[in-house]
Amino acid sequence: MKITTEKFELGNTYMISKLYVDGVYECYIMEDDLDEVKEHGKTAIPRGTYDVIITMSNRFKKPLPLLLKVPNYKGVRIHSGNTALNTEGCLLPGLNLGYLGGVRAVTDSRTAFLMLFK
């Protein structure tokens, strides 16, 4: 499986992208903001196309998608979450966009993750 991310909306502390799987639109993705210089837990991955495999996540204690060969990053996964506060460089899928507690968010993340994980 190959995924491609395409920037959709950039805020001060977040970035929302569109996620394509093998060229077909799947869902929105919430990430940290996009900076020129990588900062651990605060910077989105570079836009592009990545191979993905499923491996056991030590942090989440379950199998999760893992992006391969992300420049300057290790352990980039796809998992559910809603805002940039829920990620440290991983991709958070969502079916819709909204606000949670006044913060920009992707919503219906668990549903989007389950659809994507299939």
Side-chain angles (χ1 to χ4, degrees):
M1 173 171 82
K2 287 191 183 287
I3 67 164
T4 302
T5 58
E6 179 183 283
K7 184 171 69 172
F8 178 74
E9 179 181 317
L10 182 62
N12 290 332
T13 59
Y14 70 90
M15 183 170 65
I16 298 172
S17 299
K18 290 183 177 182
L19 178 83
Y20 297 85
V21 176
D22 296 327
V24 178
Y25 173 76
E26 185 75 25
C27 61
Y28 294 107
I29 290 291
M30 172 64 73
E31 299 180 75
D32 292 310
D33 65 343
L34 187 61
D35 289 326
E36 292 296 318
V37 178
K38 180 194 178 311
E39 190 174 345
H40 179 74
K42 296 183 179 180
T43 310
I45 67 169
R47 301 302 87 205
T49 300
Y50 298 99
D51 288 320
V52 178
I53 61 172
I54 306 298
T55 63
M56 181 60 76
S57 166
N58 292 330
R59 179 178 177 195
F60 292 97
K61 309 293 186 226
K62 62 182 179 181
L64 290 175
L66 175 68
L67 280 67
L68 300 177
K69 299 179 185 173
V70 179
N72 301 314
Y73 287 78
K74 289 183 182 178
V76 176
R77 296 207 177 258
I78 300 173
H79 60 81
S80 59
N82 300 107
T83 71
L85 297 172
N86 302 132
T87 183
E88 291 185 0
C90 293
L91 309 181
L92 309 177
L95 296 180
N96 299 295
L97 302 176
Y99 290 88
L100 295 174
V103 177
R104 191 64 162 146
V106 292
T107 61
D108 304 306
S109 185
R110 287 189 179 137
T111 302
F113 175 80
L114 291 174
M115 289 171 54
L116 185 62
F117 195 68
K118 283 183 182 180

